Amino acid sequence: MPKFLQRDRSQPFLLPPDMRDWLPADDLAHFVLEAVERVPMDSFQVNERGTGSAQCHPRTMLALLVHCCANGIFGSRRIERATHRDIGVRHVAANCHPDHDTICTFRRNSFDAVSAAFPEVLPLAKEPKPLRVGTASVDGTKVDANANRRNGIRHDRAGELRERLRGGIEGLLDRAERDDADAASEPQGLPEELKRRETPKAKLDKARAELKRRAKARAECERKVEAREQREGPRKGKRIKAPAEEPRDEERINLTDADSSLMRRSRRHECRQACNAQAAVDADGSQLVLGSRVSVSASDRNELVADVADVAAVPAALGAADRVLADGGCATGSEVLQLEGRGVEVLVATGAEGQRRRHDFRPEPPPKPAKEPRADWIKAMQERMELPENRAHCRLRRQTVEPVFGIVKQAMGFRQFLLRGVEKVEGEWKLVTLACSCRRLHRLMLA
């Protein structure tokens, strides 16, 4: 007669269970709880008066967000459901079940705590083996925004629609005045009709105002460049046009998320409504994210100095980045000179990386005539990259920062932002990269 294990689901526990016994000793949940305890309490928004209902501990809420992001659970409703179904999430939440509104509100208000968690988590890497930050790899990736590209509109088209809506609103107001004069009329439907026109008109007005603000900022930047050329003399390349403070007719803006824009990964990919997520990763073996930010520009150009500035938040005990690796689309001459003035060595791949596969059976393309580089810093960088050790360092960029983006998008499943606005999106990206560093650091400690 076969023997089976007991399966009486109505059997109660004789003693209170310990959820730590239900998880392996090397589970990620234990590491996340230990790491979050290092975050200072002054980084959170706490009700100091003590009024109202008791709130969940902020470190517990931060640990809940980090653990769920590391396991591919991003939505607040999914996190709330996981506190009932997932043993690891239930252990991190201390057997509490915050609702999705509380989780969403905490995530929006705790971006400072997430930023403060980076320098507190990185020193844990010294425990498995000595970690010394010296080389940082910098790159960006496109992540879909929480907006549809069909909601984008041109500046000239926004003006046409605004005038059409304004004419419709004036017609409704004239109709309301005529109905008020007639005592037998029933003007109950007018407020709803006005609201249907006032709401899109307000969005169009806001979009046109944002385009004008960007045009003025661009004109101010162009004036600074023109003044610099007048001081230093003419430079090679095309002359910039006279700055215009009015937006061009073809400029676009998205009515759902004005900070996002149409971007594409490469020439072979389609355009998507996305944000440019930047990351600086340690290239000396740990593959930990040292700093992260979000740019509203579709190109990585002029983002190198800002990316390296986030690395400055690394604790001094771990060292400072004295070498930066970047591809050709990330650097400009002014940024390279600025970083070298700070004592940071910059290695930029001046050629096209990955233009042909290692084992490519396609016919060889016809040779193209070599072009003489126009900028002096490109010539100097090409001479620097002729050294074998510099080429070996530059190859580390593809082996460090690119796998981080692959882990975030494929292993963790993060392919679209949930929040809108550059400040909220940057806070969400910092939370995701913090969860990725916790995953990596947990693996290093187990190795």
Side-chain angles (χ1 to χ4, degrees):
M1 184 174 180
K3 296 181 180 180
F4 299 101
L5 295 175
Q6 183 181 2
R7 58 175 187 146
D8 186 6
R9 299 183 180 89
S10 62
Q11 174 66 39
F13 291 101
L14 298 179
L15 296 174
D18 189 352
M19 286 187 294
R20 291 175 295 183
D21 298 336
W22 295 354
L23 295 174
D26 57 351
D27 193 82
L28 178 62
H30 303 307
F31 174 79
V32 171
L33 291 175
E34 178 185 356
V36 171
E37 289 297 324
R38 295 171 173 260
V39 181
M41 284 295 298
D42 55 1
S43 303
F44 300 97
Q45 294 184 6
V46 182
N47 185 7
E48 299 290 349
R49 296 179 301 174
T51 57
S53 302
Q55 65 181 100
C56 295
H57 199 282
R59 286 174 177 166
T60 301
M61 295 294 296
L62 180 59
L64 178 63
L65 289 177
V66 172
H67 182 266
C68 289
C69 288
N71 288 276
I73 307 174
F74 301 101
S76 57
R77 296 180 185 272
R78 293 185 60 196
I79 295 176
E80 178 187 3
R81 192 181 305 117
T83 58
H84 295 274
R85 298 181 175 181
D86 192 292
I87 295 178
V89 177
R90 191 163 188 164
H91 172 57
V92 171
N95 207 19
C96 297
H97 309 285
D99 60 350
H100 60 274
D101 187 55
T102 302
I103 297 172
C104 185
T105 303
F106 179 83
R107 177 167 49 192
R108 292 171 182 263
N109 298 334
S110 301
F111 295 149
D112 294 338
V114 175
S115 301
F118 266 100
E120 298 297 334
V121 171
L122 289 176
L124 292 174
K126 297 181 65 176
E127 297 180 5
K129 60 179 181 179
L131 172 65
R132 194 70 182 176
V133 177
T135 305
S137 301
V138 176
D139 203 356
T141 183
K142 307 300 187 297
V143 181
D144 291 347
N146 189 6
N148 195 329
R149 66 177 182 178
R150 293 187 177 90
N151 291 336
I153 190 171
R154 288 164 51 109
H155 179 259
D156 53 353
R157 180 60 177 167
E160 296 174 1
L161 293 178
R162 180 184 178 279
E163 293 300 324
R164 186 183 304 178
L165 289 172
R166 186 175 62 85
I169 292 173
E170 291 177 355
L172 287 175
L173 293 177
D174 294 340
R175 174 186 165 189
E177 291 180 0
R178 292 193 304 268
D179 291 342
D180 289 340
D182 187 3
S185 63
E186 187 68 23
Q188 297 296 328
L190 289 180
E192 285 296 329
E193 295 183 15
L194 284 174
K195 184 178 180 180
R196 285 199 300 268
R197 288 166 174 80
E198 284 287 353
T199 301
K201 179 178 176 296
K203 290 184 178 181
L204 292 175
D205 291 340
K206 184 178 180 181
R208 287 172 60 86
E210 177 63 20
L211 287 176
K212 290 183 179 180
R213 186 194 65 80
R214 295 179 183 179
K216 289 183 179 180
R218 183 176 60 248
E220 184 65 25
C221 182
E222 290 175 354
R223 289 194 188 95
K224 293 180 180 179
V225 175
E226 187 177 9
R228 184 183 63 187
E229 288 185 354
Q230 293 177 357
R231 294 193 308 266
E232 301 177 0
R235 296 181 175 228
K236 297 181 180 180
K238 296 182 179 179
R239 297 283 299 178
I240 61 174
K241 298 181 181 179
E245 295 189 359
E246 291 296 325
R248 297 184 293 269
D249 291 340
E250 64 273 10
E251 290 191 38
R252 295 177 60 90
I253 190 172
N254 194 278
L255 298 179
T256 305
D257 188 0
D259 292 331
S260 63
S261 58
L262 289 177
M263 304 179 184
R264 59 180 181 177
R265 292 169 52 192
S266 65
R267 298 178 180 178
R268 298 185 296 271
H269 294 83
E270 75 282 1
C271 292
R272 304 177 68 90
Q273 197 72 29
C275 297
N276 192 356
Q278 302 284 323
V281 181
D282 178 40
D284 288 335
S286 67
Q287 211 174 51
L288 296 174
V289 180
L290 303 177
S292 59
R293 51 183 291 272
V294 170
S295 172
V296 297
S297 175
S299 174
D300 292 337
R301 192 169 297 275
N302 298 323
E303 304 293 341
L304 185 59
V305 175
D307 293 341
V308 176
D310 281 351
V311 184
V314 176
L318 298 180
D322 54 5
R323 184 184 296 114
V324 175
L325 311 177
D327 60 355
C330 291
T332 59
S334 59
E335 291 194 326
V336 171
L337 294 177
Q338 184 176 351
L339 290 178
E340 290 180 347
R342 300 179 185 178
V344 179
E345 181 185 4
V346 182
L347 297 179
V348 178
T350 56
E353 295 186 13
Q355 191 172 5
R356 290 184 61 84
R357 297 189 292 267
R358 185 175 181 180
H359 302 288
D360 199 344
F361 300 98
R362 295 174 296 179
E364 290 285 342
K368 297 181 180 180
K371 296 182 180 180
E372 183 70 18
R374 295 179 297 180
D376 295 335
W377 75 272
I378 297 181
K379 297 179 181 180
M381 188 62 65
Q382 288 179 349
E383 296 177 358
R384 188 183 305 175
M385 294 303 297
E386 292 179 357
L387 299 177
E389 57 270 18
N390 289 339
R391 290 200 301 268
H393 284 305
C394 201
R395 282 193 295 267
L396 291 176
R397 189 197 64 82
R398 290 177 291 177
Q399 304 172 15
T400 52
V401 66
E402 298 293 349
V404 170
F405 294 148
I407 291 172
V408 168
K409 292 186 175 182
Q410 189 65 28
M412 297 172 56
F414 183 78
R415 297 180 178 272
Q416 184 180 15
F417 289 109
L418 300 179
L419 304 180
R420 296 168 182 169
V422 62
E423 295 181 358
K424 297 179 182 179
V425 166
E426 183 169 345
E428 187 178 2
W429 177 242
K430 286 182 178 293
L431 176 62
V432 172
T433 52
L434 175 62
C436 181
S437 294
C438 288
R439 284 172 57 104
R440 176 62 180 169
L441 192 52
H442 179 246
R443 295 289 181 88
L444 291 176
M445 297 184 70
L446 293 180

